[in-house]
Amino acid sequence: MEKTKLNKFIQKYNLGGNVNSVKWKSQNDKLSTTFVTADKSLLGTVKVDKFQFEDAELGVYQTDLLKNLLGVVDNEVSLSLSKFGDKAVSLKIKNSGGGESVDYVLSDLMVIQDPPPLKRLPKFNTQIKLDSKFIETFIKGKSALSDIDTFTIVNNNDNIEVIIGYSSTNTNRVNIPVDTLTKDLTDPVTFNANYFKEVLVANKECTSAVLEVSNEGLARVNFKVDDYDSTYYIVAMTDVD
């Protein structure tokens, strides 16, 4: 197995270190996880196909440590589990050609909290096209405004814009015009720009996706690239000027 396949899977849920404790589920040559940020404003699922590993559920409590351990081994690796009875207690990652290996101690599944279920999804009134140019522009714009934590989706006379640093007062900001499939946004809606940037960084190889936005304050975006299928739900922020 190529280590890069596992690294990409981790990157798509770890989001620059914002998600650290998750449960991995390996079943029928697929690896998946569901996750939530500490403030519960971003939830998601990541799946990767053609991941040949035994069926198991693994508690990964310190993803950042696992990433560091993966840096020790070469790109071609083999994975195996050490078990105590039916319980997986550690993950061994070994160079396929022999030599170096690392052992990562797995967590008890009870220690890792499951993300809250999304019981009812609202109608997504506005659909924004995300392409390579948008992804690159947003990442650059957020990097330029490193102290800005929000971005806002605004309907200006039936023209939808994504604005990093939006405010009712005069501010430094980045305005990104976008193409839409539907546009029925009634009021400006604001989200966490740091999280969204990390979502885009983790999926920047995607050339076509759709950001769906509800007037009730929820956004959803799905990326499908190669063997990966990633979906993110972002809750709008309140009390924003």
Side-chain angles (χ1 to χ4, degrees):
M1 175 190 299
E2 290 188 358
K3 181 179 69 174
T4 52
K5 189 157 195 171
L6 184 56
N7 273 331
K8 278 188 178 182
F9 173 79
I10 291 172
Q11 183 185 30
K12 290 178 188 299
Y13 78 76
N14 182 240
L15 300 178
N18 286 294
V19 177
N20 208 24
S21 298
V22 294
K23 297 175 183 176
W24 291 4
K25 185 175 183 180
S26 175
Q27 188 174 30
N28 299 327
D29 292 338
K30 296 182 180 181
L31 183 65
S32 64
T33 188
T34 60
F35 55 90
V36 62
T37 54
D39 61 3
K40 294 183 172 57
S41 68
L42 185 148
L43 298 85
T45 62
V46 176
K47 304 174 184 177
V48 57
D49 290 335
K50 301 176 185 177
F51 191 90
Q52 296 181 348
F53 190 60
E54 63 181 281
D55 289 0
E57 192 167 11
L58 313 179
V60 179
Y61 191 75
Q62 293 178 289
T63 294
D64 50 1
L65 175 58
L66 178 56
K67 286 169 58 179
N68 292 337
L69 289 172
L70 280 168
V72 175
V73 294
D74 296 335
N75 189 47
E76 290 292 334
V77 297
S78 62
L79 307 180
S80 61
L81 289 176
S82 296
K83 294 184 177 181
F84 183 77
D86 294 333
K87 181 180 177 181
V89 294
S90 68
L91 174 66
K92 180 179 284 292
I93 306 167
K94 185 176 182 179
N95 287 339
S96 294
E100 295 82 7
S101 66
V102 296
D103 290 273
Y104 175 76
V105 176
L106 298 168
S107 169
D108 190 314
L109 295 172
M110 298 296 291
V111 175
I112 300 173
Q113 186 176 7
D114 290 318
L118 289 169
K119 297 180 179 179
R120 183 191 69 85
L121 289 177
K123 179 181 178 181
F124 292 99
N125 314 79
T126 301
Q127 297 176 306
I128 298 170
K129 295 180 182 179
L130 303 186
D131 55 15
S132 299
K133 182 179 179 182
F134 174 88
I135 292 173
E136 181 181 3
T137 301
F138 191 96
I139 293 171
K140 287 182 177 179
K142 177 61 186 75
S143 298
L145 297 174
S146 58
D147 58 334
I148 299 298
D149 296 324
T150 64
F151 76 98
T152 304
I153 301 171
V154 180
N155 189 343
N156 286 324
N157 299 318
D158 214 28
N159 292 313
I160 302 296
E161 281 189 306
V162 172
I163 302 175
I164 305 171
Y166 175 84
S167 174
S168 58
T169 60
N170 191 29
T171 59
N172 297 316
R173 62 182 70 184
V174 174
N175 307 287
I176 309 174
V178 294
D179 294 326
T180 56
L181 299 172
T182 59
K183 47 183 177 181
D184 192 24
L185 190 69
T186 53
D187 298 304
V189 58
T190 298
F191 299 96
N192 187 307
N194 299 303
Y195 288 162
F196 192 59
K197 175 193 171 185
E198 294 300 336
V199 166
L200 296 180
V201 168
N203 297 277
K204 62 183 177 182
E205 71 273 24
C206 185
T207 57
S208 179
V210 175
L211 175 64
E212 301 174 286
V213 184
S214 166
N215 288 330
E216 296 181 34
L218 184 70
R220 176 176 66 186
V221 60
N222 171 256
F223 299 93
K224 292 181 179 178
V225 182
D226 300 327
D227 295 331
Y228 299 89
D229 188 333
S230 308
T231 302
Y232 306 88
Y233 295 88
I234 311 174
V235 179
M237 302 175 70
T238 56
D239 300 325
V240 177
D241 183 15

